[in-house]
Amino acid sequence: MSAMRCALNKTKRTARIVIIGAGTAGIAAATRLLEQGFRNIVLLEAENRIGGRVNTIPFADNVVDLGAQWCHGKVGNGVYERVKDLDLLEDTEDHYETYKCVRSNKQTLPDDIADSLKSIAFNSIPERQTELVDFRGSLGDYITQKYWNEVAKLPPIDRAIAEEFLENFHKFESSVEAADHLYEVSGRGHLEYWLCEGELLLNWRDKGFKSFLRLLMNARNDEADDLGMLKGRVLFNRRISQINWEGDGDLIIRCWNGEVITADHVICTVSLGVLKEQHASMFIPALPEAKVRAINGLKLGTVDKFFLEFAVPPLPADWPGFSCLWLEEDLEELRASERFWLESVFGFYPVSYQPRILQGWIIGAHARHMETLTEEQVLEGLLWLFRKFLPFDLPQPLRCLRTQWHANPNFRGSYTFRTTYADELRTGAWDLEAPLLDVGGRPRLQFAGEATHKHYYSTVHGAAETGWREAERLNTYYRSRTHRL
């Protein structure tokens, strides 16, 4: 019997579905397929854990999220919809709005000046700014123009302070985008990103984002590592070396450990960073040009975190967090030293339900360099930064944790944004999403993950929706075949 005929004889019960990656998209696809009556489902996970860029670990008084940390918004957010009645989420304190602005000479900006500059900066972020429709520049161009136009309307402010604040805000907003800098982020492309209305920083209290994945899997509450309906279906430490999707017969998946697995359908949820690095060798035959263009045009940037644990709450009661504003002469000195990477550490903030922790953020090329340093070098640098900026002494931390999202070959970055280069290539998530079909219209190789979402890229709810989307694609295909038969 020909391979094509064998494939046509498949049903929901017998179709072999292999999902590459047990992150949010993979888990969403697998659980939805099982709910729809598919039976033969395996997830190949390169790490020794589930979750992908959702990684909740024990730390200090309860847990911290090394990756995704907040549920962003409520209206139209699939994550929020799933948990809204379970008392898992709450609004985060306003630390990311009320933080102190500290200069590298230990001067704290007066609240009235800081609040004026914050208001201008936050209001310059384009959510639905109609003038962006015809804007041909980068997000950095747009925000910078808008910022200085508004600063000119204020009572006179020291130009140096306004510039220092803008530099810091660029880093802050770059962390939201996951860009090295805002001048590589598409301005008009930013309109394609949809914000879900409602509180944008909903925290998971003392449970972490993994709560959502456990809910999807229907995992048991009394077993921390229970995989629920995915028990026995996730194979760990299975890095993929090759996916052969040639012809109309079986797809052949080869793992780095030599294991070979065959499938009727493959749903690939690896990160955009992995696709960039490995697509040329991973897929046989090569991926279509349109998909390669999307892989090249979109970008997975690097955003890393620091978690410092102290014996007692480290900041004074009237300090809700702080951002670092560099004086030009101090910055020149820093850039000539081995601590140059600290330039991209833009601020430190408290963590909900973790009173003894400070969380810091670093972006871009300096984050990638930081990942190569020893933990001792990182801590030494951060302590130097505290001494440089803070007008008071911080206690010695008990522990310091840093993330390394780019150094990990199974991720190669944090989350996706739309570049000005993608505009030039006229490509986007729609090309990355497009499934590869056989001549009969059967989905053979499908793609999911946050980078494949046209409007919710960079988010967990976006990743989950793409998993559900690809599950529904297979469900629709088998349902239509059943009707034809």
Side-chain angles (χ1 to χ4, degrees), residues 159-171:
R159 175 83 183 192
I161 288 176
E163 286 177 350
E164 291 162 16
F165 182 89
L166 179 60
E167 278 301 306
N168 180 268
F169 181 69
H170 266 246
K171 293 170 198 166

Side-chain angles (χ1 to χ4, degrees), residues 324-339:
C324 303
L325 276 56
W326 284 96
L327 276 70
E328 189 173 352
E329 58 268 29
D330 287 339
L331 196 51
E332 287 178 9
E333 192 177 317
L334 178 76
R335 286 171 175 167
S337 76
E338 62 183 14
R339 300 189 185 97

Side-chain angles (χ1 to χ4, degrees), residues 114-170:
D115 290 345
S116 295
L117 294 176
K118 286 178 192 176
S119 177
I120 288 173
F122 291 145
N123 288 333
S124 72
I125 299 172
E127 293 174 12
R128 284 287 170 268
Q129 310 260 11
T130 52
E131 64 261 40
L132 261 186
V133 174
D134 298 315
F135 191 78
R136 289 294 178 265
S138 68
L139 186 59
D141 296 323
Y142 178 87
I143 285 178
T144 301
Q145 288 176 21
K146 205 165 178 63
Y147 176 84
W148 287 118
N149 287 343
E150 294 303 314
V151 167
K153 300 174 186 176
L154 294 176
I157 288 180
D158 184 327
R159 175 83 183 192
I161 288 176
E163 286 177 350
E164 291 162 16
F165 182 89
L166 179 60
E167 278 301 306
N168 180 268
F169 181 69
H170 266 246

Side-chain angles (χ1 to χ4, degrees), residues 267-393:
I267 302 177
C268 181
T269 76
V270 302
S271 78
L272 177 64
V274 171
L275 286 176
K276 279 181 178 291
E277 185 175 81
Q278 300 181 26
H279 78 84
S281 61
M282 181 181 286
F283 296 98
I284 296 177
L287 294 175
E289 183 55 38
K291 197 169 293 292
V292 173
R293 209 163 44 238
I295 292 170
N296 290 335
L298 299 172
K299 186 172 176 181
L300 190 81
T302 307
V303 180
D304 279 314
K305 303 179 185 182
F306 308 105
F307 292 102
L308 293 107
E309 177 189 0
F310 299 86
V312 295
L315 293 178
D318 60 344
W319 275 62
F322 63 92
S323 64
C324 303
L325 276 56
W326 284 96
L327 276 70
E328 189 173 352
E329 58 268 29
D330 287 339
L331 196 51
E332 287 178 9
E333 192 177 317
L334 178 76
R335 286 171 175 167
S337 76
E338 62 183 14
R339 300 189 185 97
F340 66 91
W341 57 274
L342 290 167
E343 179 180 353
S344 294
V345 179
F346 60 83
F348 289 83
Y349 310 86
V351 178
S352 302
Y353 289 84
Q354 289 273 31
R356 297 186 297 109
I357 283 183
L358 262 188
Q359 176 177 349
W361 297 84
I362 184 172
I363 60 162
H366 290 153
R368 292 188 285 277
H369 175 78
M370 178 279 300
E371 293 184 10
T372 69
L373 302 177
T374 65
E375 292 188 356
E376 291 76 19
Q377 288 172 313
V378 170
L379 178 57
E380 186 274 331
L382 296 180
L383 294 180
W384 180 89
L385 192 72
F386 294 154
R387 292 193 298 271
K388 177 74 175 166
F389 277 83
L390 295 178
F392 49 81
D393 292 331

Side-chain angles (χ1 to χ4, degrees), residues 18 63 87 134 138 151 170 190 220 251 255 258 285 307 387 406 471:
V18 171
V63 298
D87 203 29
D134 298 315
S138 68
V151 167
H170 266 246
H190 200 274
R220 290 174 48 163
L251 290 92
C255 301
F307 292 102
R387 292 193 298 271
H406 183 268

